[in-house]
Amino acid sequence: MQERSSVAELAERLRKELDRYSPGGKLPSSRALVDRFRVSPVTVSRALAQLAAEGLVVTRPGAGAFRARPCESGVAAVGDTSWQEVALSADGTAEPTPRTVDASGVLVSLASPPPGVIEFNGGYLHPALQPEQAMGAALSRAGRRPGVWARPPVEGVLELREWFARSIGGAITAAEVIVAAGGQSALTTALRALASPGAPVLVESPTYPGMLAIARAAGLRPVPVPVDPDGVRPALLADAFKASGARVFVCQPLFQNPTGAALSAERRGEVLRIARDAGAFVIEDDFVRRLVHEDAGPLPPPLVADDPDGVVVHVSSLTKATSPSFRVGALAARGPVLERLRAIQVVDTFFVPRPLQEAALELVGSPAWPRHLRAVSKELKNRRDAMTSALRLHLPELALPHIPSGGYHLWLRLPDGTGGTDRALGSGGESALVAAALREGVAVTPGRPYFSAEPPAAHLRLSFAGVSGAGEIVEGVRRLRAAVNGSTAGL
């Protein structure tokens, strides 16, 4: 069982037992809880910390944990915070424009489902696929490097920038690379550098909700450009530039999230030409290149490697191939925009902590790194095939228009809703199906957050990276079948 599941289960059991103790009463010792529930001391400590955060217990170093008294629960008198509605919406102009920051589309894939629920909603590798030993060894070696706690260059440690430049290829040099704190941070920096509040920004449709959240939080206006299995559609991209006047297009040319599409060789040059003619930048989110499947064949280089004119601002990261906590990425660009990217990152974060950069260098330079990538490549292919086969067997009515050769998810289109059973799976039934799936014990991601405008149909995204293996995938699809049956029966 995963550690987080053990913590949640223990916290729930202790929560139910709190009525046995009077307010201020002492709970059993940590050692007694370890012996009774057969969990680790770390699990006990985290479960008690969770209850303390909820105001249910009070922990006193050296004394133990106690049921909270009413005055210790941390519940304060409710004040009047209604004034904040005005303060948060006003922008200093004569006619205030409401501003919101909506993280719901991101939290769908970050939230941990309850214990026993199969995670088809995750965006990271299962712990069994993460290179935990290699990362631990790299961190240990990095900690012994001279000067590891010194302030790094604001652009990043030179050797790590050189490694990113080599991995990007083309004529990119270390001088054109900035180390960032993961892909999300790099995307935030890029969008802030290239577009002013109120400006339009072209985005693929559908696309990554985290990027849409960044754009909207920065006051930008996402304008959708449809994609198909060969990537963004160039004619529609040209039309969107002309109609909107946008100067930025954000795309994922390789194994796009959520469709899994890869920009075809014929369209790569066309996309760059269209952006160049529009006097616009292309933000290339190359987020999942290191999660290629074993049967993919040679990969095309990043767009930035074929761009001598500085059209492309490249974003990449080590996080997807390692761990959600290994937040090291890179920005690569040519020309004056590089200085603006650097300035914005310095203002926002100063720099990425040097110990993490040094650990990344140790990891990617070790023999364990290529072994890890090969193992993940093989396992992701097996999981993709297991999920595809299970879906065709148990849920043939859900359309799977594209099977990717990289990444960690499948994109399913629900029936259009022509009546009968299909009606429950149409656009109005997407949220109901997600809720029914959770009741059946499988967490799936709804398609709506991936669209910046009204979606053409209802969809689901199913991830096969965050589960323990093929057996759990098959069981998860079986549970999804039960959820579909249950949701249709209710109509």
Side-chain angles (χ1 to χ4, degrees):
M1 180 180 295
Q2 297 181 39
E3 178 70 21
R4 66 186 181 201
S5 298
S6 300
V7 170
E9 289 180 0
L10 179 58
E12 179 61 23
R13 296 182 71 172
L14 293 176
R15 194 180 291 110
K16 292 178 178 179
E17 294 183 1
L18 281 178
D19 288 340
R20 298 181 183 179
Y21 307 96
S22 58
K26 190 175 187 297
L27 275 65
S29 68
S30 294
R31 178 173 297 180
L33 294 175
V34 166
D35 293 340
R36 177 184 170 192
F37 293 105
R38 299 184 180 276
V39 294
S40 71
V42 172
T43 299
V44 170
S45 175
R46 291 180 176 175
L48 290 174
Q50 181 173 324
L51 296 182
E54 296 172 9
L56 299 177
V57 303
V58 175
T59 57
R60 298 170 186 155
F66 302 80
R67 182 180 176 185
R69 301 178 188 274
C71 61
E72 295 177 314
S73 64
V75 177
V78 178
D80 180 9
T81 61
S82 58
W83 65 272
Q84 292 185 6
E85 294 184 42
V86 176
L88 290 174
S89 64
D91 62 0
T93 63
E95 297 182 4
T97 301
R99 295 182 293 127
T100 61
V101 179
D102 184 3
S104 58
V106 182
L107 292 173
V108 166
S109 60
L110 291 179
S112 299
V117 174
I118 294 175
E119 291 190 55
F120 282 173
N121 64 322
Y124 298 102
L125 297 178
H126 186 271
L129 292 179
Q130 296 175 17
E132 290 187 349
Q133 288 188 338
M135 288 189 295
L139 195 60
S140 177
R141 293 193 300 270
R144 297 192 295 270
R145 286 189 170 201
V148 69
W149 293 104
R151 184 182 67 194
V154 293
E155 302 88 352
V157 172
L158 177 59
E159 294 85 351
L160 185 57
R161 291 161 61 204
E162 290 175 339
W163 181 86
F164 272 114
R166 290 194 300 272
S167 67
I168 293 169
I172 291 292
T173 67
E176 296 164 327
V177 173
I178 300 171
V179 177
Q184 188 77 357
S185 175
L187 283 172
T188 301
T189 297
L191 279 169
R192 287 188 58 200
L194 302 178
S196 301
V201 55
L202 305 188
V203 300
E204 294 171 313
S205 182
T207 192
Y208 167 50
M211 186 275 297
L212 293 177
I214 293 170
R216 289 167 176 150
L220 306 178
R221 295 187 290 110
V223 177
V225 185
V227 301
D228 61 25
D230 289 323
V232 69
R233 297 167 59 182
L236 296 180
L237 179 65
D239 290 344
F241 271 125
K242 183 177 180 179
S244 68
R247 291 294 179 264
V248 181
F249 169 50
V250 187
C251 70
Q252 296 176 328
L254 191 64
F255 312 136
Q256 196 253 6
N257 182 11
T259 66
L263 189 62
S264 67
E266 295 76 15
R267 293 184 182 182
R268 287 168 58 88
E270 199 171 357
V271 166
L272 293 180
R273 178 190 59 77
I274 291 169
R276 190 185 304 112
D277 290 347
F281 288 95
V282 173
I283 299 177
E284 175 187 28
D285 183 9
D286 199 18
F287 74 112
V288 79
R289 179 172 293 271
R290 296 175 182 87
L291 295 186
V292 61
H293 299 170
E294 190 178 45
D295 60 350
L299 296 182
L303 287 179
V304 72
D306 296 331
D307 168 42
D309 301 326
V311 172
V312 178
V313 173
H314 174 87
V315 172
S316 60
S317 174
L318 294 174
T319 304
K320 291 296 185 184
T322 54
S323 159
S325 290
F326 205 84
R327 306 206 66 78
V328 178
L331 283 158
R334 292 187 172 99
V337 71
L338 187 64
E339 179 56 31
R340 183 178 291 188
L341 293 166
R342 174 182 177 273
I344 288 178
Q345 174 158 300
V346 169
V347 169
D348 283 351
T349 62
F350 288 179
F351 45 74
V352 177
R354 185 164 196 145
L356 193 55
Q357 294 191 55
E358 299 284 2
L361 261 177
E362 290 284 352
L363 177 64
V364 299
S366 70
W369 179 242
R371 289 199 301 267
H372 163 66
L373 294 181
R374 287 193 298 269
V376 169
S377 177
K378 180 178 181 179
E379 179 62 20
L380 288 179
K381 174 191 176 297
N382 293 340
R383 291 174 177 220
R384 178 204 68 193
D385 291 346
M387 180 172 279
T388 302
S389 298
L391 288 169
R392 286 172 172 166
L393 178 63
H394 297 292
L395 287 162
E397 67 269 38
L398 304 189
L400 181 57
H402 178 66
I403 300 176
S405 56
Y408 52 89
H409 55 262
L410 298 178
W411 181 243
L412 300 171
R413 176 169 173 153
L414 306 185
D416 290 334
T418 56
T421 298
D422 287 352
R423 182 172 299 164
L425 299 179
S427 58
E430 182 182 285
S431 58
L433 179 55
V434 171
L438 191 59
R439 290 193 296 270
E440 292 291 340
V442 57
V444 299
T445 306
R448 183 63 185 88
Y450 292 84
F451 292 91
S452 59
E454 287 300 315
H459 294 80
L460 294 180
R461 196 196 77 159
L462 305 185
S463 169
F464 46 80
V467 294
S468 61
E472 196 168 26
I473 288 173
V474 173
E475 173 60 19
V477 173
R478 187 195 66 77
R479 295 182 186 184
L480 186 57
R481 171 76 268 174
V484 169
N485 292 344
S487 61
T488 58
L491 294 184

